[in-house]
Amino acid sequence: MSESRIKGFHKLGISERIDALVKRGWLNDADAERLRQGRHALLASSADRMVENVVGVFSLPLAIAPNFIVNGREHLVPMVIEEPSVVAGLTMAAALVRNCGGFSATCDESLLIGQVHVSDVEDIDAAIERLLAAGEQLIEESNGVHPRLLERGGGVRDIEFHRLELGDGRHVIAAHILVDTCDAMGANLVNTICEAIAPTIAELCAGRVALRILSNLVDRSILRCRAVFDLAEEIRDGIVLASDIAAVDPYRAATHNKGIMNGIDALAVATGNDWRAIEAGAHAYAAREGRYKPLSHWFVGADGELVGEIEIPLKPGTVGGSLTANPAASIGLALAGVSSAIELAELMAAVGLAQNFAALRALASTGIQAGHMKLHARSVASSAGVSDKVFDAVVDELIADGDVKVWKAREIAARLDESGSADTPDGIAAGKVILLGEHAVVYGKHALAVPVPDAVSAFVVEAGAEPSPNIPEFEAAIALIKNRLDVVDGHDVRIRSRLPVAMGLGASAAFAVAITRAFNSKLKLGLDDEAVNEVAFECEKLAHGTPSGIDNTIATYAVPMLFRNDGVLETKEISVAEQLPIVIACSSQTGRTRDIVAGVRERRELATEQYDAVFAQMDALSLAGTAALERADYDELGRLMNICHGLLTAIEVSTPELEAMVAIARAAGAAGAKLTGAGGGGSIVALCPGCVDDVSHALQSSGFRTIGLDERRARH
Ligand code: MEV
């Protein structure tokens, strides 16, 4: 497996994170596509076969904690968890341990215990003697239940007998059947063995079968894990003190262990394991000495290092029906990079220890609320509709103030926005949003697009005076522009954008136009719009191969346009009386235009007549939509957009997430809503006469970033 350290992973978008995992071999293309399109999630129809009375499925975040090394092996940790700070804490802890050699974990044996309880035994001693004498025969009979387990190298290893005294003085015999379940969790397997062998055991005892089921106290599968941290003395000692307190205070030990289970449960769910079983075993083990105790222990090592050790019963599985039933579980297992159940158990123990460390480190320093506060402040700033431009500054001020409220965020944003208004850009450009006809345009049909005004601003700065823009994908375009315009060294460019990239909104063309204009005005080059457009078209070729030319044209001229490209680009400017009431919303996945256009082409080969009929209909929609736009007939235009979305869905470029977004926009009052651009991720556009704020709010509160045409409405 490749390195599990992925620099800057948290700074990437969801789709870029998926790309990074594919590039490093943690994820195959098929699973990556499933994640991108939301097809990894359990379908309600499959869920209906798993439990009773199903009415739907329930979702939680799936995240990745990188950086893990356990016993020299690289692992990622897939985590299903809703609690903020857990993933970030784990990632940080694993990075620290990585610097000190990684986690070392051991597991001496990995056996699941099946129990058969026999009651009403007259002579307990004689019964146990008979059971001991029949030991080999019982093992053989038990192994006969699952011959395939034996073939796989597993099976019943031993049977032990325990005498139990009940509260009223009666006695019960507990037979413990110790089963090696190989890579399976083994619950069903062991329960079947218990049920099969129980009558023989009861007969040997001359008693009655009371219970026959596995035990979740899996203390024949104990994991031990150790890690060393190099830390400042004060924090190190704080962690040791916290550990010592947990050792004597069951109230604290419960919370201490909860922190451990935050990580273990999240990994267990992500890999399809029974986390209730793991929880039950962990807490029973924590109380094994008659008082509830912490599962981990922290102390100062011989060289002043912080040493952490955890001892916990864990018996997860990597194969079996319940895992394969859920497609997300197999993706989780692949991401974890484990090749056996024992490796997964070792990783779980390391995760528990690391999660515990992260919590104790926070408690011993800033306290646990600081990390939560940051996330809370980000979500409040987002609900307040703070623009990208001042977003981070607003978040920092909210935290510093300690008054994390929506009204406060708005107040700070207004002040910061105002103070930044003197900052006049050297060049600006529009983004574009297609209202009708995407994909059909590839086959020579009309499409209708409108600009997203003032979407990108560029500033020329002295080289080295300011950080260069953090947009590596545009470095080549910037070089091309500098070259075409003969910009001498010593000039750099800084960008402010309210357009996300790769979202079907023409960001790359808008960047090129804004940058070209910035150099043009700063260096007084005297280029007209046509020349700017031509340079931007060159940049688009660099980015997209064979672009239609519409993105750079709209970025330059910033007017609504009906266009077609049947070898050459034909454009017709559409005059509109007012700013359109449009809301754009971005999905969590970036679209890959090239791949999606290629996919449509492949499917068209197989159903040419039908696809061409769809494209012809889209052509008619674009023409009718242009007329509706000219009359400002938004109801008609909205209706046509809805039909266009249906056609785009028919040619398979929509995703479940885009469908959900379209439904949210329509339910909030949009006259029309559709995916825009290539699809397969990217954005939707909604036409919202009289309900721009309602639709924006509905989409934002479902977690989607929205962009208004009017910059004052720009929302994060
Ligand atoms: C919160 O989910 C977990 C912690 O309470 C664990 C601990 O206190 O050690 C932070």
Side-chain angles (χ1 to χ4, degrees):
M1 232 351 135
S2 70
E3 228 192 63
S4 64
R5 180 166 43 186
I6 309 178
K7 277 221 173 88
F9 192 62
H10 67 287
K11 292 191 194 141
L12 303 176
I14 294 177
S15 197
E16 291 164 327
R17 288 190 195 121
I18 295 174
D19 286 346
L21 297 174
V22 173
K23 196 166 138 208
R24 288 165 178 77
W26 290 99
L27 204 56
N28 64 34
D29 287 336
D31 285 345
E33 216 40 45
R34 265 186 213 122
L35 283 172
R36 281 204 180 90
Q37 297 181 8
R39 283 191 289 106
H40 62 293
L42 194 60
L43 293 173
S45 53
S46 312
D48 198 30
R49 290 194 291 271
M50 293 168 85
V51 303
E52 306 76 21
N53 299 352
V54 165
V55 292
V57 290
F58 184 92
S59 318
L60 285 172
L62 166 61
I64 302 286
N67 296 334
F68 270 79
I69 295 187
V70 182
N71 293 347
R73 296 182 310 262
E74 299 275 350
H75 294 285
L76 297 178
V77 179
M79 307 183 80
V80 171
I81 190 152
E82 83 295 351
E83 186 174 325
S85 306
V86 169
V87 179
L90 191 66
T91 303
M92 171 277 298
L96 292 179
V97 180
R98 192 179 181 94
N99 292 338
C100 300
F103 297 86
S104 50
T106 56
C107 173
D108 295 339
E109 59 178 359
S110 179
L111 302 173
L112 189 54
I113 303 169
Q115 289 191 295
V116 174
H117 289 97
V118 182
S119 65
D120 301 291
V121 181
E122 281 214 343
D123 186 342
I124 293 279
D125 292 333
I128 289 186
E129 245 169 62
R130 285 196 297 278
L131 288 168
L132 287 172
E136 283 305 316
Q137 170 216 327
L138 286 172
I139 292 175
E140 206 171 301
E141 192 177 330
S142 308
N143 273 329
V145 179
H146 278 298
R148 296 209 19 233
L149 180 62
L150 272 188
E151 283 163 25
R152 293 206 306 268
V156 177
R157 295 282 181 254
D158 201 359
I159 305 190
E160 295 173 347
F161 305 100
H162 302 272
R163 170 205 301 254
L164 305 175
E165 186 171 343
L166 305 186
D168 60 6
R170 283 179 301 159
H171 283 90
V172 162
I173 291 177
H176 282 191
I177 303 149
L178 307 178
V179 190
D180 178 350
T181 61
C182 298
D183 285 328
M185 276 183 270
N188 285 331
L189 229 136
V190 168
N191 290 343
T192 322
I193 293 176
C194 290
E195 290 188 6
I197 196 74
T200 312
I201 293 178
E203 199 180 314
L204 283 164
C205 297
R208 275 188 343 127
V209 176
L211 300 166
R212 55 240 151 105
I213 191 158
L214 65 84
S215 169
N216 287 125
L217 176 50
V218 286
D219 63 0
R220 301 301 296 265
S221 185
I222 296 295
L223 271 293
R224 293 185 179 83
C225 181
R226 184 175 206 273
V228 168
F229 294 81
D230 198 3
L231 278 187
E233 211 175 289
E234 197 185 332
I235 299 181
R236 178 199 68 187
D237 292 346
I239 292 176
V240 172
L241 178 62
S243 171
D244 291 347
I245 292 172
V248 296
D249 177 2
Y251 289 89
R252 174 56 209 160
T255 324
H256 179 106
N257 287 346
K258 192 271 183 179
I260 292 174
M261 301 316 288
N262 270 345
I264 294 181
D265 284 351
L267 173 57
V269 180
T271 52
N273 275 280
D274 180 346
W275 76 98
R276 286 94 52 216
I278 294 175
E279 282 277 342
H283 298 298
Y285 194 68
R288 68 193 181 283
E289 288 166 8
R291 204 184 65 224
Y292 190 86
K293 289 219 169 144
L295 292 159
S296 68
H297 168 53
W298 296 88
F299 56 96
V300 178
D303 297 322
E305 74 281 19
L306 175 71
V307 185
E309 288 176 350
I310 188 169
E311 184 178 311
I312 183 169
L314 289 166
K315 184 85 185 69
T318 53
V319 297
S322 55
L323 272 79
T324 37
N326 192 332
S330 66
I331 294 181
L333 279 168
L335 285 168
V338 291
S339 59
S340 68
I342 290 191
E343 281 189 13
L344 178 57
E346 289 170 349
L347 178 60
M348 277 182 174
V351 165
L353 187 63
Q355 200 75 68
N356 182 217
F357 168 82
L360 298 188
R361 180 177 185 258
L363 289 170
S365 51
T366 51
I368 217 75
Q369 285 306 95
H372 288 222
M373 189 64 103
K374 175 112 190 178
L375 284 159
H376 179 52
R378 289 185 72 81
S379 122
V380 165
S382 186
S383 312
V386 172
S387 71
D388 277 359
K389 199 171 69 181
V390 293
F391 193 82
D392 288 338
V394 170
V395 169
D396 289 347
E397 234 182 270
L398 281 175
I399 294 170
D401 258 30
D403 199 5
V404 186
K405 301 272 166 31
V406 169
W407 65 264
K408 185 84 191 173
R410 289 210 176 105
E411 198 178 278
I412 300 170
R415 175 164 45 73
L416 294 179
D417 269 332
E418 210 151 282
S419 64
S421 62
D423 198 6
T424 317
D426 298 312
I428 53 172
K432 70 110 213 304
V433 58
I434 297 186
L435 294 188
L436 293 163
E438 48 275 269
H439 285 291
V441 79
V442 176
Y443 299 90
K445 307 297 183 202
H446 288 95
L448 174 64
V450 297
V452 181
D454 303 339
V456 175
S457 309
F459 304 77
V460 173
V461 295
E462 297 288 302
E466 307 243 6
S468 11
N470 185 18
I471 38 169
E473 57 269 56
F474 294 119
E475 291 302 340
I478 294 172
L480 185 149
I481 294 168
K482 283 185 170 177
N483 191 1
R484 283 288 305 265
L485 305 186
D486 287 332
V487 176
V488 286
D489 280 350
H491 292 101
D492 233 331
V493 68
R494 185 163 57 85
I495 297 230
R496 201 163 66 199
S497 168
R498 62 192 186 100
L499 286 185
V501 296
M503 279 288 164
L505 301 174
S508 62
F511 273 63
V513 168
I515 294 167
T516 306
R517 280 197 170 133
F519 283 128
N520 184 37
S521 87
K522 195 78 173 186
L523 308 178
K524 306 201 176 10
L525 302 176
L527 302 183
D528 60 9
D529 280 350
E530 201 180 325
V532 169
N533 192 19
E534 199 205 308
V535 175
F537 186 52
E538 291 301 313
C539 294
E540 284 289 274
K541 283 193 208 154
L542 209 63
H544 302 301
T546 49
S548 70
I550 189 63
D551 285 14
N552 46 284
T553 306
I554 292 202
T556 306
Y557 296 100
V559 286
M561 282 183 185
L562 176 70
F563 65 99
R564 69 194 283 264
N565 188 335
D566 212 358
V568 254
L569 180 68
E570 291 168 21
T571 56
K572 180 182 160 214
E573 287 187 17
I574 314 295
S575 56
V576 290
E578 55 177 22
Q579 182 71 276
L580 285 188
I582 274 183
V583 175
I584 299 163
C586 305
S587 74
S588 64
Q589 299 155 347
T590 50
R592 306 164 145 238
T593 304
R594 218 179 276 215
D595 296 353
I596 293 153
V597 168
V600 171
R601 194 177 295 285
E602 271 170 32
R603 291 190 290 278
R604 178 175 172 268
E605 300 275 295
L606 303 171
T608 313
E609 211 179 301
Q610 291 82 352
Y611 267 59
D612 285 349
V614 167
F615 297 143
Q617 208 180 334
M618 283 195 187
D619 193 52
L621 289 175
S622 298
L623 295 171
T626 302
L629 178 60
E630 282 171 330
R631 302 193 299 275
D633 183 348
Y634 298 140
D635 285 343
E636 169 70 359
L637 181 56
R639 226 177 347 262
L640 301 173
M641 287 166 66
N642 286 340
I643 297 172
C644 185
H645 178 74
L647 295 172
L648 291 165
T649 305
I651 61 168
E652 302 180 38
V653 295
S654 188
T655 65
E657 191 179 32
L658 292 171
E659 292 300 319
M661 295 166 76
V662 162
I664 292 168
R666 290 182 191 161
K674 62 180 276 290
L675 71 84
T676 182
S683 312
I684 67 150
V685 56
L687 186 62
C688 315
C691 56
V692 165
D693 285 339
D694 291 345
V695 173
S696 301
H697 182 74
L699 286 159
Q700 284 163 18
S701 47
S702 297
F704 298 107
R705 172 185 176 173
T706 65
I707 299 164
L709 287 204
D710 179 350
E711 190 170 14
R712 278 162 302 151
R713 288 188 183 282
R715 296 280 191 269
H716 185 86

